[in-house]
Amino acid sequence: MSPPIEFELRRRTLLAGSAAIAMSAASGQRSAAQTVTPTGTPVGPESTAVTLTVNGEERELTVDNRTTLLDALREQLKLTGTKKGCDHGQCGACTCTVNGQRINSCLSLAVMHDGDEVKTIEGIGTPEQMDPMQAAFVENDGFQCGYCTPGQITSAKSVIEEIRAGIPSHVTGNLTAEIALTDAEIRERMSGNICRCGAYANILAAITQVAEGDEA
């Protein structure tokens, strides 16, 4: 019968061995998950060149594939009018239009919009030459801190266009008749834009003023 093997497990030895096993396993997982060339270079770019037409001007960018449209506008094009609020698509501060439709730019990757037309608040109007919606917000005091205002104005313009185009909302009662531009329709369609200052009544008045002016 063979004599028993003497074995002493020390804490330092155990920790060193555990760390080595963990590092080896992680390395193996990365190797298995990532395709590489014969030279060991990972396949697939981490960034992509995209071309956007922003406010009527063609812009070429190279962006990390994970960059949102919001961050591309703010950080690379320096168009900071589009605001980063919740960064989760819940507040509407980042609203801009892509090919004429409003979106939450914080939820959309820049690489998805190669060749698209993007309009931000800077393309709607300037302090010297305001769009009628901007002027109505000023006249009706439709903002307080002003942080959500670019998104509110962008959405407000889209709301009128959507109603004119006959696109129904959740409160549209008759899908076969012309949609009336009512307070309920405006409130429902603007519900994705949060005003933490609570200037909703004034925002509603501004939108109604522009809509009635268009009808005149």
Side-chain angles (χ1 to χ4, degrees):
M1 182 177 179
S2 301
I5 298 174
E6 293 185 3
F7 178 74
E8 181 181 357
L9 181 61
R10 298 184 179 180
R11 180 174 179 274
R12 181 173 297 178
T13 305
L14 175 62
L15 293 176
S18 299
I21 293 172
M23 292 177 63
S24 176
S27 176
Q29 289 174 357
R30 286 196 299 269
S31 299
Q34 187 177 51
T35 304
V36 297
T37 65
T39 60
T41 304
V43 174
E46 295 182 356
S47 60
T48 302
V50 296
T51 300
L52 306 174
T53 300
V54 184
N55 300 329
E57 180 182 355
E58 188 173 286
R59 307 293 295 270
E60 295 182 358
L61 303 173
T62 298
V63 296
D64 185 298
N65 292 336
R66 299 163 297 180
T67 301
T68 63
L69 178 60
L70 172 61
D71 286 338
L73 293 171
R74 289 181 57 83
E75 304 299 332
Q76 294 192 245
L77 298 182
K78 307 304 179 184
L79 296 171
T80 56
T82 305
K83 303 303 184 185
K84 178 177 285 194
C86 65
D87 213 23
H88 287 79
Q90 297 175 347
C91 73
C94 68
T95 304
C96 66
T97 61
V98 175
N99 298 331
Q101 295 186 330
R102 54 176 170 156
I103 68 166
N104 290 326
S105 58
C106 73
L107 295 182
S108 189
L109 297 176
V111 294
M112 297 167 58
H113 298 290
D114 186 33
D116 286 348
E117 294 187 7
V118 180
K119 179 176 281 189
T120 68
I121 190 66
E122 290 90 348
I124 291 177
T126 65
E128 295 77 22
Q129 190 172 0
M130 289 191 291
D131 179 86
M133 187 65 73
Q134 292 173 311
F137 265 67
V138 173
E139 182 177 343
N140 291 277
D141 195 20
F143 55 90
Q144 291 184 31
C145 77
Y147 194 84
C148 73
T149 306
Q152 297 276 5
I153 289 173
T154 301
S155 278
K157 289 177 63 65
S158 293
V159 162
I160 296 176
E161 293 170 1
E162 290 166 7
I163 292 176
R164 298 282 186 261
I167 300 172
S169 75
H170 287 295
V171 300
T172 303
N174 188 344
L175 300 182
T176 62
E178 181 179 350
I179 301 174
L181 206 153
T182 63
D183 288 356
E185 283 284 357
I186 295 174
R187 289 193 181 101
E188 169 63 26
R189 294 169 190 267
M190 290 293 295
S191 61
N193 290 78
I194 296 174
C195 172
R196 291 177 174 86
C197 299
Y200 295 113
N202 299 351
I203 292 170
L204 177 62
I207 299 172
T208 302
Q209 176 179 311
V210 173
E212 291 175 348
D214 290 344
E215 293 175 346

